[in-house]
Amino acid sequence: MSLTGKRALVTGATSGIGLAIAKALAQAGARVMINGFGDAAQVAAAQAEAGGALYHGADMSKPGEIAAMMAAAHEQLGGVDILVNNAGIQFVAPVEEFPPEKWDAILAINLSSAFHTTRAAVPGMKAAGWGRIINTASAHSLVASPFKSAYVAAKHGMAGFTKAIALEVAEHGITANCISPGYVWTPLVEKQIPDTMAARKLTREQVIEDVLLKAQPTKQFVTVEQVAALALFLCSDAASQITGANMTMDGGWTAA
Ligand code: NAD
């Protein structure tokens, strides 16, 4: 499939799933702008991996910085045909110990940022009569796990937001879908292991085997390349009638 001539913005693409998606879109011919945190070396490496992508370091918890990123995408990239809302963080704690500032940050980064980017990208997509909005949700957009109240709330919200947008833009050649992975081995998963060990009083091995992979009937992590391949498919003409969908890639987790 060729995405030559298409312009893609991928948030949270200095690492993990976002980087893999940016790379796949660039390999298919799209011009890409990536966003995300990291030191200069990490950012430069991600830009190189994503075909010499442009970069904007907007903090996805800050609407003003998101607006600046969308303006930069229009100026430097020429517009946004493919918007991938992928930036996300996690925090694991019982609700009574959950720091309110962590709740606010997760809702802002994992959910509200998609509203701020989408509202800025839709007018250009409507004018072009073509667009793809791909939101990285999670199995946690469909089912819950204890100690992840903010994340589960934000991801359920992302699934609902995606459906509403899909209906609004359906007659303009624009699709909006969620990809909902189960556990993908990325820094986000690795970082939550110590907190899960503490919250559930388990060893590292027990968290991996009895908490993470326990949820996935295949007993295997999803790979970032598999998620990226699905994102690429959603950009194709073959996927033009897939909209408002929540596409799981979770080793059977949410089938149970
Ligand atoms: P990751 O930690 O490897 O990547 C997260 C990216 O988001 C990084 O580029 C990071 O710099 C960026 N980011 C974090 N806070 C930001 C902020 N305030 N502003 C801008 N960028 C910010 O994690 P990942 O696993 O690749 O996660 C990507 C997405 O996939 C997230 O939305 C996550 O919830 C979702 N997800 C991950 C898994 C998994 O198992 N790894 C499963 C389901 C869904």
Side-chain angles (χ1 to χ4, degrees):
M1 186 211 347
S2 172
L3 292 178
T4 304
K6 301 293 190 217
R7 293 88 34 111
L9 172 64
V10 187
T11 72
T14 51
S15 161
I17 292 169
L19 177 55
I21 293 175
K23 202 171 152 183
L25 296 176
Q27 278 169 357
R31 289 185 59 219
V32 177
M33 175 179 272
I34 60 169
N35 153 267
F37 293 156
D39 61 24
Q42 187 184 355
V43 169
Q47 286 180 277
E49 274 196 61
L54 295 164
Y55 170 73
H56 197 285
D59 181 339
M60 288 298 109
S61 69
K62 302 203 164 97
E65 293 190 21
I66 297 172
M69 177 182 74
M70 298 310 292
H74 280 91
E75 279 159 30
Q76 297 165 27
L77 206 55
V80 177
D81 306 297
I82 299 166
L83 172 65
V84 183
N85 291 304
N86 169 81
I89 59 167
Q90 175 62 284
F91 191 80
V92 181
V95 70
E96 67 273 28
E97 291 164 25
F98 213 93
E101 58 278 13
K102 290 285 183 195
W103 171 275
D104 289 343
I106 289 178
L107 268 288
I109 296 165
N110 296 17
L111 176 58
S112 299
S113 68
F115 160 72
H116 295 294
T117 55
T118 301
R119 68 188 288 276
V122 159
M125 292 179 179
K126 277 187 176 172
W130 194 93
R132 293 288 186 268
I133 300 168
I134 299 171
N135 295 329
T136 309
S138 163
H140 283 120
S141 73
L142 294 161
V143 295
S145 297
F147 314 121
K148 295 184 177 177
S149 54
Y151 189 86
V152 170
K155 294 298 187 181
H156 274 65
M158 185 68 123
F161 173 71
T162 306
K163 288 189 212 174
I165 299 309
L167 298 181
E168 290 183 32
V169 298
E171 291 179 45
H172 296 272
I174 307 167
T175 68
N177 293 289
C178 284
I179 296 179
S180 284
Y183 283 105
V184 190
W185 189 256
T186 67
L188 181 140
V189 165
E190 220 173 338
K191 276 188 259 172
Q192 67 187 273
I193 290 176
D195 289 341
T196 307
M197 287 166 65
R200 295 185 184 236
K201 304 193 180 4
L202 297 173
T203 66
R204 180 181 166 83
E205 289 64 36
Q206 285 171 323
V207 169
I208 292 175
E209 294 299 323
D210 301 342
V211 179
L212 303 181
L213 291 181
K214 186 178 176 217
Q216 286 188 194
T218 57
K219 302 291 173 219
Q220 290 176 31
F221 286 99
V222 179
T223 70
V224 294
E225 291 79 13
Q226 289 171 329
V227 178
L230 179 54
L232 196 57
F233 173 69
L234 287 172
C235 293
S236 70
D237 289 339
S240 69
Q241 294 304 314
I242 300 176
T243 195
N246 190 347
M247 308 200 69
T248 57
M249 186 181 276
D250 61 10
W253 176 354
T254 55

